[in-house]
Amino acid sequence: MTERVAVDMWFDPACPWAWITSRWLLEVEKVRDVDIRFHVMSLAVLNEGRDELPEEYKSFLSTAWGPVRLCIAAEQRYGGDVLRKLYTALGTRIHLGKEERGRELYVAALADADLDPALVEAADSTEYDEALRASHEAGMRPVGQDVGTPVIHAPGPDGGQVAFFGPVITPAPKGEAAGRLWDGVLLVGGTPGFYELKRTREQGPIFD
């Protein structure tokens, strides 16, 4: 029987593309011998000091602090396994429900995940920012600072770590199609010297 291996994904709850990738990975978990572990990165941290960003994106980033702080606070309280259900609760409301990021959403997501509603206070606090930055750095270090989320770390074909940004997909493949994409991503990601495979996005996120 093939031994299952751990695959780590770094996400920012506000990112729709990371959300789709995360749902794909949960499908991969069903058809390949992998166990997905979730970790927090922060688009707000990544883009600190980038004054050249469009005003619309700066506005997006200003409301992106709350969800990542909430996730880190929950991780500190309950351990890393809690991120799976809290991310699902947040993402379902943010991306499927189109709810505005803010205190009301966070309280509801905490309830959905059966977590202490008092954790909502972390969303507007800097108390967990050091831990947030450490989690962000752990995810981004192997891939560099010129990419965003999703970031995935996985065991490579030679036993070493493979780390990459992406894949950026829409909609998320299901069943064996998800597994085939995983096989291909792992193949190119584990190829020494392979850096990029990309084409212009012609449609927005599809949350099917």
Side-chain angles (χ1 to χ4, degrees):
M1 189 172 182
T2 305
E3 182 181 354
R4 296 181 70 85
V5 298
V7 171
D8 298 280
M9 177 191 166
W10 272 258
F11 69 92
D12 184 313
C15 177
W17 299 105
W19 170 254
I20 294 173
T21 299
S22 73
R23 301 308 97 177
W24 162 67
L25 286 173
L26 294 180
E27 285 290 312
V28 172
E29 198 176 49
K30 300 173 185 177
V31 296
R32 295 294 185 268
D33 293 318
V34 301
D35 293 314
I36 308 303
R37 301 185 300 197
F38 291 103
H39 309 271
V40 184
M41 65 83 68
S42 169
L43 291 171
V45 170
L46 181 68
N47 288 285
E48 279 182 317
R50 298 185 180 180
D51 295 331
E52 73 280 4
L53 294 172
E55 290 303 317
E56 182 179 1
Y57 194 62
K58 288 181 181 179
S59 178
F60 165 84
L61 293 174
S62 70
T63 61
W65 285 100
V68 290
R69 285 169 168 165
L70 190 67
C71 285
I72 289 293
E75 182 182 34
Q76 296 276 300
R77 170 84 68 87
Y78 298 102
D81 289 346
V82 77
L83 291 177
R84 176 182 292 240
K85 63 180 181 179
L86 181 54
Y87 183 24
T88 293
L90 287 166
T92 297
R93 289 181 174 276
I94 292 171
H95 303 299
L96 304 186
K98 307 299 182 185
E99 298 179 28
E100 183 177 351
R101 293 192 296 275
R103 187 181 183 91
E104 184 177 349
L105 184 157
Y106 306 148
V107 169
L110 287 166
D112 293 342
D114 298 318
L115 303 178
D116 183 358
L119 283 172
V120 71
E121 302 302 331
D124 296 316
S125 170
T126 61
E127 179 181 355
Y128 298 95
D129 283 8
E130 183 177 350
L132 169 61
R133 292 176 187 278
S135 179
H136 174 90
E137 171 63 19
M140 302 305 293
R141 190 183 307 115
V143 294
Q145 299 298 316
D146 60 344
V147 299
T149 180
V151 164
I152 294 172
H153 299 185
D158 63 353
Q161 183 191 73
V162 174
F164 49 86
F165 163 74
V168 176
I169 47 175
T170 192
K174 304 293 194 300
E176 183 57 25
R180 289 195 299 271
L181 177 58
W182 173 253
D183 297 340
V185 166
L186 205 58
L187 176 64
V188 297
T191 300
F194 181 87
Y195 291 106
E196 190 167 351
L197 180 67
K198 191 173 184 178
R199 56 187 171 191
T200 300
R201 289 202 297 263
E202 297 178 342
Q203 58 183 349
I206 299 172
F207 303 115
D208 290 349

